[in-house]
Amino acid sequence: MDFFALLTFIIIFYIVLLFLDVTFKSCSHYPYLTFLQKTGLSVGPFQLRWYTTLLNRLILKMSFWNPKFQTNWFTFGSWVTICLIVPSVCLVIVSSAQLCKKIFTEPTNESTMNQQEMYLEPVVPGVNLPTSDLSYYVLALMFSTIFHELGHALAAIREDMHIDGVGLMFILILPVAYVHLEDITSLPSSKQLRIMSAGVWHNIVQAITAYLVLLLLPYMLFPFFTIGSGVVTTNINQKSGVNGQGGLVIGDVITKLGNCDVSDFKSWLDCLNRTMTSVDSGFCLSPEFVQHHDETKSVHYVDENVINCCDPNSKTNLCFEYIESLSNPQELPNHSCLNVRKVIERSTSLCDADNQCSSAHCYYPAIHKNHKLVVIERQNKNEVLFLGPPIELHYISVTQYVPKTDYFFYNIPESIEKFCKYLIMFAGGLAIINVIPCFYFDGEKISRVLVNTMLKDHVEHLSVRLAISICLTIFGSLILIIYTILGFWSLLTIIN
């Protein structure tokens, strides 16, 4: 499902939902109105809202757990949040410059190789995020916003403020949690900062926790999964040539890719890159083997560069070209049609133009220039022979966690890894964006309190201090607006 199909489905869903809502309300359908009142649900244009007061008591009980620790926790969090303001503003400015460069500069091979620079970029399902990861996207964002608002709620109760209620709202597919609090402007500055920075602080802690889980995951899953014995296939795109009969299947443990040993995810990526850039190798075969297994029909050119000497309908044979050795020349046919699997099994070693075979003869597969013959070795199974563009091997999704028994699902570690990565992305992103002085963000209130507190002894008039904080907020808002415009412009270039 691409971006437009997903967007169309979501829009139709909300139109139908809004139509039913308006219809039932206009008819004064009593069961429906009672249902809305009891559940706290409400429907708006492209949004679904849920509000409740039932969780107030639970949050109140949580706030009484170790009060001294919580006070110190939110005090420390307010200092961390304040220290994050300037780096966040700088990161958004740098990200805007990177996005600008990405939009207005032509991509080159050198720039594609150096695309490891860190910067913020909007993510949209179906554009720069796989639609298959949509559930991770929504869940991670939901956890991030809920944990953010829980921070505000707990900090507010610690400062003797009342919570009216909590809720969750879906805008299209984006979940947004919220808390209704009393006005906190009457509180001392330190208490206001603790409440307003609690959400950002909770997101920072959430991102760090998810990162630690990622680091410790191999040790946590050690009793059930092994790392270092290969990679397990978790998904194979239909575009890939290894998909289908005689190819890879989900759950296969890959131990070797061509001449490259695969032990974990990093070595898998290294082997993929090596397969893309390496020069084709030939196979060292004995003259007796070639003469005995040669099934050459007629030698003819398929195109300018490719010669075929096999039956066009054969799925097991391939035309091989004989590379004559200077040290041990033999009168052998230039092209031989041989069974590929037997060639790999009976080959004594691999050969190239510089390193010829010592006791055999070098045969190269006669294939297209951008194609490669790659042998994929599997654990406890026959090798898979791949013939085609090596870029298709990138369509294979793998995990480095190999289950010790068949009772454990190979996709459990991958799901945990993926969820943690999205949690780091969204929790970290929310912390960075929310702390910037921008209208309707936490950063606006934090900067106002900071300016008022720091300039109290230097600037006498409150209106002047307020004007300074408004100028900072306008500056932060402009930065975010420019970044958002550039971000979505960049996404439009991907769509087009």
Side-chain angles (χ1 to χ4, degrees):
M1 186 186 291
D2 61 3
F3 171 70
F4 292 108
L6 179 65
L7 187 63
T8 306
F9 174 79
I10 293 166
I11 289 172
I12 291 171
F13 170 77
Y14 274 104
I15 289 172
V16 172
L17 195 65
L18 190 62
F19 172 76
L20 293 173
D21 180 69
V22 171
T23 305
F24 285 139
K25 281 180 179 176
S26 59
C27 299
S28 297
H29 193 266
Y30 180 73
Y32 179 70
L33 297 175
T34 309
F35 170 76
L36 291 181
Q37 190 177 0
K38 284 183 177 180
T39 56
L41 289 171
S42 60
V43 180
F46 302 110
Q47 62 176 253
L48 183 63
R49 188 189 294 261
W50 172 69
Y51 179 78
T52 184
T53 57
L54 296 175
L55 298 176
N56 291 10
R57 187 178 292 276
L58 176 64
I59 297 170
L60 188 65
K61 284 181 180 178
M62 290 171 67
S63 67
F64 288 134
W65 177 80
N66 205 332
K68 189 177 179 181
F69 170 79
Q70 288 201 38
T71 304
N72 294 332
W73 171 261
F74 289 119
T75 303
F76 181 71
S78 64
W79 284 105
V80 173
T81 303
I82 290 166
C83 293
L84 189 66
I85 294 174
V86 175
S88 296
V89 172
C90 293
L91 181 59
V92 171
I93 292 171
V94 169
S95 299
S96 301
Q98 292 289 347
L99 287 169
C100 205
K101 183 182 173 184
K102 185 180 174 182
I103 294 166
F104 296 108
T105 4
E106 288 292 330
T108 59
N109 292 335
E110 225 174 289
S111 67
T112 6
M113 294 291 289
N114 300 324
Q115 275 182 349
Q116 302 297 329
E117 300 171 349
M118 292 290 292
Y119 64 94
L120 290 174
E121 187 177 16
V123 286
V124 176
V127 181
N128 57 351
L129 181 80
T131 47
S132 57
D133 291 354
L134 189 61
S135 56
Y136 296 100
Y137 181 101
V138 174
L139 279 174
L141 192 54
M142 187 188 298
F143 271 85
S144 300
T145 57
I146 288 172
F147 204 58
H148 179 99
E149 294 303 322
L150 181 63
H152 287 308
L154 290 174
I157 293 174
R158 290 301 320 144
E159 306 303 339
D160 297 325
M161 300 301 294
H162 176 69
I163 293 179
D164 295 328
V166 296
L168 184 68
M169 176 171 57
F170 278 89
I171 303 171
L172 293 177
I173 60 167
L174 302 179
V176 181
Y178 59 94
V179 177
H180 282 176
L181 299 174
E182 286 181 316
D183 184 25
I184 62 171
T185 51
S186 57
L187 292 173
S189 300
S190 58
K191 292 188 175 185
Q192 286 188 52
L193 281 173
R194 276 199 288 266
I195 295 171
M196 290 180 295
S197 61
V200 172
W201 168 235
H202 269 212
N203 282 142
I204 294 169
V205 172
Q206 196 176 26
I208 293 171
T209 305
Y211 180 71
L212 289 174
V213 170
L214 268 183
L215 286 180
L216 299 174
L217 194 61
Y219 305 101
M220 293 162 64
L221 297 176
F222 177 72
F224 317 107
F225 296 87
T226 58
I227 294 179
S229 58
V231 293
V232 183
T233 55
T234 56
N235 187 40
I236 303 166
N237 195 301
Q238 290 183 350
K239 295 178 183 177
S240 177
V242 294
N243 191 30
Q245 189 178 2
L248 290 173
V249 294
I250 293 173
D252 280 346
V253 180
I254 299 173
T255 56
K256 203 167 183 179
L257 194 65
N259 298 324
C260 185
D261 290 322
V262 177
S263 57
D264 53 19
F265 189 71
K266 185 178 180 300
S267 62
W268 164 255
L269 293 179
D270 290 341
C271 291
L272 282 178
N273 292 331
R274 195 182 298 181
T275 305
M276 291 284 294
T277 54
S278 64
V279 181
D280 284 329
S281 298
F283 299 90
C284 293
L285 301 171
S286 66
E288 294 78 22
F289 171 81
V290 175
Q291 290 167 4
H292 185 69
H293 293 89
D294 189 3
E295 298 181 24
T296 303
K297 299 294 181 186
S298 62
V299 180
H300 61 279
Y301 279 90
V302 178
D303 55 33
E304 292 180 3
N305 301 313
V306 181
I307 293 175
N308 186 28
C309 57
C310 297
D311 184 351
N313 299 320
S314 175
K315 295 181 180 180
T316 57
N317 293 357
L318 188 65
C319 189
F320 286 84
E321 183 180 357
Y322 168 55
I323 308 298
E324 186 174 356
S325 172
L326 298 175
S327 59
N328 185 23
Q330 295 282 334
E331 290 189 7
L332 293 171
N334 289 333
H335 297 90
S336 300
C337 178
L338 303 170
N339 183 287
V340 182
R341 192 170 291 280
K342 287 181 181 177
V343 166
I344 292 163
E345 289 172 358
R346 299 290 295 273
S347 171
T348 55
S349 62
L350 297 177
C351 55
D352 52 42
D354 300 322
N355 182 20
Q356 299 297 338
C357 307
S358 56
S359 58
H361 301 285
C362 191
Y363 281 83
Y364 270 83
I367 53 178
H368 287 274
K369 191 177 180 181
N370 62 339
H371 285 199
K372 287 194 177 181
L373 176 62
V374 182
V375 182
I376 306 171
E377 292 187 16
R378 301 180 291 177
Q379 195 177 79
N380 303 326
K381 286 187 178 181
N382 290 334
E383 301 95 342
V384 170
L385 306 179
F386 169 77
L387 178 62
I391 189 68
E392 291 185 8
L393 295 172
H394 287 265
Y395 297 145
I396 306 168
S397 301
V398 299
T399 177
Q400 62 181 350
Y401 295 92
V402 181
K404 289 186 175 180
T405 67
D406 295 336
Y407 299 108
F408 301 117
F409 294 105
Y410 53 83
N411 53 359
I412 291 174
E414 187 197 22
S415 300
I416 297 171
E417 269 190 336
K418 202 173 281 188
F419 180 72
C420 285
K421 285 175 182 176
Y422 278 112
L423 206 56
I424 293 167
M425 184 196 302
F426 288 121
L430 277 176
I432 291 167
I433 297 297
N434 244 307
V435 82
I436 293 174
C438 176
F439 291 107
Y440 305 109
F441 284 19
D442 293 336
E444 176 197 5
K445 305 180 185 86
I446 293 169
S447 63
R448 188 183 67 237
V449 175
L450 282 175
V451 168
N452 193 39
T453 306
M454 294 169 68
L455 300 181
K456 196 173 184 180
D457 299 331
H458 306 283
V459 180
E460 185 180 349
H461 298 288
L462 177 63
S463 57
V464 177
R465 297 198 297 270
L466 185 63
I468 293 170
S469 68
I470 288 172
C471 287
L472 285 174
T473 307
I474 291 170
F475 173 71
S477 302
L478 282 173
I479 289 172
L480 275 182
I481 288 168
I482 292 167
Y483 164 75
T484 306
I485 291 169
L486 288 171
F488 283 102
W489 191 347
S490 170
L491 293 179
L492 283 173
T493 58
I494 296 173
I495 295 172
N496 296 332

